[in-house]
mmCIF file of all heavy atoms in Angstrom:
data_model
loop_
_atom_site.group_PDB
_atom_site.id
_atom_site.type_symbol
_atom_site.label_atom_id
_atom_site.label_comp_id
_atom_site.label_asym_id
_atom_site.label_seq_id
_atom_site.Cartn_x
_atom_site.Cartn_y
_atom_site.Cartn_z
ATOM 1 N N VAL A 907 -25.418 -3.035 22.596
ATOM 2 C CA VAL A 907 -24.402 -2.497 21.703
ATOM 3 C C VAL A 907 -23.336 -3.574 21.509
ATOM 4 O O VAL A 907 -23.200 -4.498 22.308
ATOM 5 C CB VAL A 907 -23.748 -1.198 22.243
ATOM 6 C CG1 VAL A 907 -24.781 -0.107 22.401
ATOM 7 C CG2 VAL A 907 -23.015 -1.451 23.544
ATOM 8 N N LEU A 908 -22.596 -3.451 20.425
ATOM 9 C CA LEU A 908 -21.537 -4.390 20.098
ATOM 10 C C LEU A 908 -20.251 -3.967 20.794
ATOM 11 O O LEU A 908 -19.830 -2.822 20.683
ATOM 12 C CB LEU A 908 -21.320 -4.421 18.583
ATOM 13 C CG LEU A 908 -20.293 -5.406 18.022
ATOM 14 C CD1 LEU A 908 -20.775 -6.830 18.211
ATOM 15 C CD2 LEU A 908 -20.058 -5.128 16.543
ATOM 16 N N MET A 909 -19.621 -4.890 21.503
ATOM 17 C CA MET A 909 -18.400 -4.614 22.267
ATOM 18 C C MET A 909 -17.274 -5.517 21.759
ATOM 19 O O MET A 909 -17.472 -6.722 21.612
ATOM 20 C CB MET A 909 -18.664 -4.877 23.749
ATOM 21 C CG MET A 909 -17.469 -4.769 24.669
ATOM 22 S SD MET A 909 -17.899 -5.195 26.383
ATOM 23 C CE MET A 909 -18.941 -3.803 26.848
ATOM 24 N N ARG A 910 -16.127 -4.933 21.488
ATOM 25 C CA ARG A 910 -14.959 -5.712 21.063
ATOM 26 C C ARG A 910 -13.992 -5.836 22.227
ATOM 27 O O ARG A 910 -13.632 -4.846 22.855
ATOM 28 C CB ARG A 910 -14.270 -5.049 19.868
ATOM 29 C CG ARG A 910 -15.150 -4.989 18.639
ATOM 30 C CD ARG A 910 -14.515 -4.203 17.505
ATOM 31 N NE ARG A 910 -13.282 -4.800 17.075
ATOM 32 C CZ ARG A 910 -12.106 -4.169 17.064
ATOM 33 N NH1 ARG A 910 -12.024 -2.931 17.510
ATOM 34 N NH2 ARG A 910 -11.032 -4.759 16.629
ATOM 35 N N VAL A 911 -13.576 -7.076 22.517
ATOM 36 C CA VAL A 911 -12.680 -7.331 23.638
ATOM 37 C C VAL A 911 -11.495 -8.173 23.178
ATOM 38 O O VAL A 911 -11.610 -8.982 22.265
ATOM 39 C CB VAL A 911 -13.419 -8.032 24.801
ATOM 40 C CG1 VAL A 911 -14.414 -7.084 25.445
ATOM 41 C CG2 VAL A 911 -14.127 -9.299 24.327
ATOM 42 N N PHE A 912 -10.372 -7.975 23.855
ATOM 43 C CA PHE A 912 -9.132 -8.650 23.492
ATOM 44 C C PHE A 912 -8.678 -9.567 24.625
ATOM 45 O O PHE A 912 -8.932 -9.285 25.804
ATOM 46 C CB PHE A 912 -8.042 -7.616 23.178
ATOM 47 C CG PHE A 912 -8.308 -6.832 21.932
ATOM 48 C CD1 PHE A 912 -9.121 -5.706 21.960
ATOM 49 C CD2 PHE A 912 -7.770 -7.219 20.718
ATOM 50 C CE1 PHE A 912 -9.391 -4.991 20.814
ATOM 51 C CE2 PHE A 912 -8.028 -6.513 19.560
ATOM 52 C CZ PHE A 912 -8.840 -5.397 19.603
ATOM 53 N N PRO A 913 -8.008 -10.678 24.289
ATOM 54 C CA PRO A 913 -7.588 -11.648 25.301
ATOM 55 C C PRO A 913 -6.773 -10.997 26.420
ATOM 56 O O PRO A 913 -5.912 -10.148 26.167
ATOM 57 C CB PRO A 913 -6.730 -12.637 24.504
ATOM 58 C CG PRO A 913 -7.241 -12.534 23.114
ATOM 59 C CD PRO A 913 -7.627 -11.099 22.931
ATOM 60 N N ASN A 914 -7.079 -11.402 27.639
ATOM 61 C CA ASN A 914 -6.354 -10.959 28.841
ATOM 62 C C ASN A 914 -6.487 -9.466 29.113
ATOM 63 O O ASN A 914 -5.729 -8.913 29.911
ATOM 64 C CB ASN A 914 -4.870 -11.340 28.747
ATOM 65 C CG ASN A 914 -4.675 -12.832 28.548
ATOM 66 O OD1 ASN A 914 -5.286 -13.631 29.245
ATOM 67 N ND2 ASN A 914 -3.846 -13.203 27.585
ATOM 68 N N GLY A 915 -7.433 -8.811 28.460
ATOM 69 C CA GLY A 915 -7.690 -7.403 28.749
ATOM 70 C C GLY A 915 -8.522 -7.238 30.007
ATOM 71 O O GLY A 915 -9.376 -8.078 30.313
ATOM 72 N N GLN A 916 -8.263 -6.180 30.748
ATOM 73 C CA GLN A 916 -9.068 -5.852 31.928
ATOM 74 C C GLN A 916 -9.922 -4.630 31.582
ATOM 75 O O GLN A 916 -9.395 -3.629 31.094
ATOM 76 C CB GLN A 916 -8.176 -5.555 33.143
ATOM 77 C CG GLN A 916 -7.421 -6.765 33.681
ATOM 78 C CD GLN A 916 -6.163 -7.053 32.891
ATOM 79 O OE1 GLN A 916 -5.366 -6.144 32.643
ATOM 80 N NE2 GLN A 916 -5.954 -8.298 32.487
ATOM 81 N N TYR A 917 -11.220 -4.738 31.850
ATOM 82 C CA TYR A 917 -12.148 -3.719 31.373
ATOM 83 C C TYR A 917 -12.983 -3.138 32.512
ATOM 84 O O TYR A 917 -13.300 -3.821 33.496
ATOM 85 C CB TYR A 917 -13.082 -4.307 30.309
ATOM 86 C CG TYR A 917 -12.363 -4.730 29.059
ATOM 87 C CD1 TYR A 917 -11.914 -6.046 28.894
ATOM 88 C CD2 TYR A 917 -12.108 -3.820 28.038
ATOM 89 C CE1 TYR A 917 -11.241 -6.437 27.747
ATOM 90 C CE2 TYR A 917 -11.437 -4.201 26.884
ATOM 91 C CZ TYR A 917 -11.004 -5.507 26.751
ATOM 92 O OH TYR A 917 -10.342 -5.891 25.622
ATOM 93 N N THR A 918 -13.351 -1.876 32.343
ATOM 94 C CA THR A 918 -14.262 -1.195 33.255
ATOM 95 C C THR A 918 -15.282 -0.424 32.426
ATOM 96 O O THR A 918 -14.907 0.348 31.529
ATOM 97 C CB THR A 918 -13.514 -0.208 34.166
ATOM 98 O OG1 THR A 918 -12.561 -0.919 34.954
ATOM 99 C CG2 THR A 918 -14.484 0.501 35.100
ATOM 100 N N LEU A 919 -16.564 -0.658 32.703
ATOM 101 C CA LEU A 919 -17.630 0.108 32.077
ATOM 102 C C LEU A 919 -18.351 0.858 33.189
ATOM 103 O O LEU A 919 -18.695 0.268 34.221
ATOM 104 C CB LEU A 919 -18.587 -0.813 31.322
ATOM 105 C CG LEU A 919 -19.660 -0.121 30.470
ATOM 106 C CD1 LEU A 919 -19.931 -0.906 29.194
ATOM 107 C CD2 LEU A 919 -20.966 0.063 31.244
ATOM 108 N N SER A 920 -18.580 2.149 32.995
ATOM 109 C CA SER A 920 -19.190 2.953 34.054
ATOM 110 C C SER A 920 -20.044 4.063 33.458
ATOM 111 O O SER A 920 -19.835 4.484 32.316
ATOM 112 C CB SER A 920 -18.115 3.554 34.964
ATOM 113 O OG SER A 920 -17.292 4.462 34.246
ATOM 114 N N PHE A 921 -21.014 4.524 34.254
ATOM 115 C CA PHE A 921 -21.824 5.683 33.883
ATOM 116 C C PHE A 921 -22.419 6.289 35.150
ATOM 117 O O PHE A 921 -22.386 5.670 36.228
ATOM 118 C CB PHE A 921 -22.925 5.320 32.873
ATOM 119 C CG PHE A 921 -23.784 4.156 33.263
ATOM 120 C CD1 PHE A 921 -24.961 4.336 33.979
ATOM 121 C CD2 PHE A 921 -23.438 2.867 32.892
ATOM 122 C CE1 PHE A 921 -25.773 3.270 34.322
ATOM 123 C CE2 PHE A 921 -24.237 1.776 33.235
ATOM 124 C CZ PHE A 921 -25.404 1.980 33.955
ATOM 125 N N ASP A 922 -22.941 7.496 35.030
ATOM 126 C CA ASP A 922 -23.481 8.209 36.187
ATOM 127 C C ASP A 922 -24.666 7.454 36.782
ATOM 128 O O ASP A 922 -25.540 6.961 36.044
ATOM 129 C CB ASP A 922 -23.932 9.617 35.794
ATOM 130 C CG ASP A 922 -22.770 10.531 35.450
ATOM 131 O OD1 ASP A 922 -21.615 10.156 35.733
ATOM 132 O OD2 ASP A 922 -23.031 11.623 34.900
ATOM 133 N N ALA A 923 -24.691 7.366 38.107
ATOM 134 C CA ALA A 923 -25.804 6.720 38.788
ATOM 135 C C ALA A 923 -27.083 7.548 38.598
ATOM 136 O O ALA A 923 -27.043 8.784 38.614
ATOM 137 C CB ALA A 923 -25.495 6.567 40.271
#
Side-chain angles (χ1 to χ4, degrees):
V907 299
L908 183 68
M909 174 183 291
R910 297 174 61 238
V911 291
F912 292 84
N914 303 313
Q916 292 82 49
Y917 295 93
T918 299
L919 187 144
S920 64
F921 51 91
D922 291 348

